[in-house]
Structures are given as structure tokens and as C-alpha cells.
Amino acid sequence: MRLNEISFTDAEPVDGYGPGFFRIGGKVHRGHVITAPSGTRLWDGLDDTAPLLALAGEIDVLFIGTGAEIAHIPAALRQSLEAAGLGVETMASPAACRTYNVLLSEGRRVALAALLVAAAE
């Protein structure tokens, strides 16, 4: 089997996650996160729409991780993101992290907005 080194351009892969944190590009972020080619930052959750809308033109698909279980995002949020030209895929945060990494490794223009899997005890 031939193995090729993956280049993630300016975007950083999700290295891991756990109760209360995500590890992205080797750095631990304690809280909900957004990671995109423009960088990684903490996110205030589904009501914090401005940083998601700011991704329009930078990415084609936004993966939204809804925590430990898959859940619907508010219809108004989905509509505003799609109206801005963003493809939106909603799934549980672990699946969103994996899918983001796969598409990132293929050179796709993707971003991830993920809610924590569980709060830190």
C-alpha cells in the first residue's frame, strides 16, 4: 500500500476531542470551536451566527457538530447559512470531526463548527 503525506494547506485538522475540549492542529481548545482555513477560534454555539456567516466565500461546506448526538439545528440558522451560499451538513460532533478531516485531506474548502461532546466534569 502506498502512503502519501497529507497537506492541510492553512486549515488545521482535528487531532482529538474529549469531555470539554477539542485538539486542533496540536492545540487544545476548551469549549465549542470553529475551525476553517482562516484559523481556529472558540465559538458561543448555535446562537453565534456571525462567525459562521463570515465563512461565506471562504468555504463550500460547513460541518456543524451538534454534540454527542445528532440533532437538528434551528431552521432559521440553516436558511441563513444556505442563503449565504454555504453548504451545511449537520451530524454528531465526532462524525463531523472525522468527515471534516477526510474532506480537508482531499483539499476541499471546508470548515467545522462543533459543540462539545460533553461538558468537563
Side-chain angles (χ1 to χ4, degrees):
M1 170 190 274
R2 181 179 171 160
L3 298 177
N4 296 317
E5 184 174 344
I6 296 171
S7 172
F8 291 102
T9 63
D10 293 336
E12 299 174 312
V14 176
D15 301 321
Y17 56 86
F21 76 94
F22 291 93
R23 189 172 47 252
I24 299 171
K27 298 176 188 166
V28 173
H29 302 272
R30 298 201 178 277
H32 311 306
V33 295
I34 296 173
T35 188
S38 56
T40 300
R41 58 165 280 200
L42 291 178
W43 177 46
D44 289 330
L46 297 174
D47 293 331
D48 188 13
T49 60
L52 301 178
L53 291 169
L55 296 171
E58 180 182 349
I59 63 163
D60 298 318
V61 179
L62 172 64
F63 295 102
I64 299 180
T66 57
E69 302 292 327
I70 190 168
H72 292 286
I73 61 172
L77 173 59
R78 179 177 289 280
Q79 290 168 353
S80 65
L81 293 171
E82 290 175 349
L86 294 169
V88 179
E89 295 292 333
T90 305
M91 55 192 77
S93 291
C97 291
R98 290 188 302 270
T99 306
Y100 165 80
N101 279 352
V102 169
L103 269 67
L104 184 64
S105 73
E106 294 174 353
R108 301 282 302 273
R109 294 177 359 131
V110 295
L112 170 70
L115 300 175
L116 291 169
V117 173
E121 299 288 326

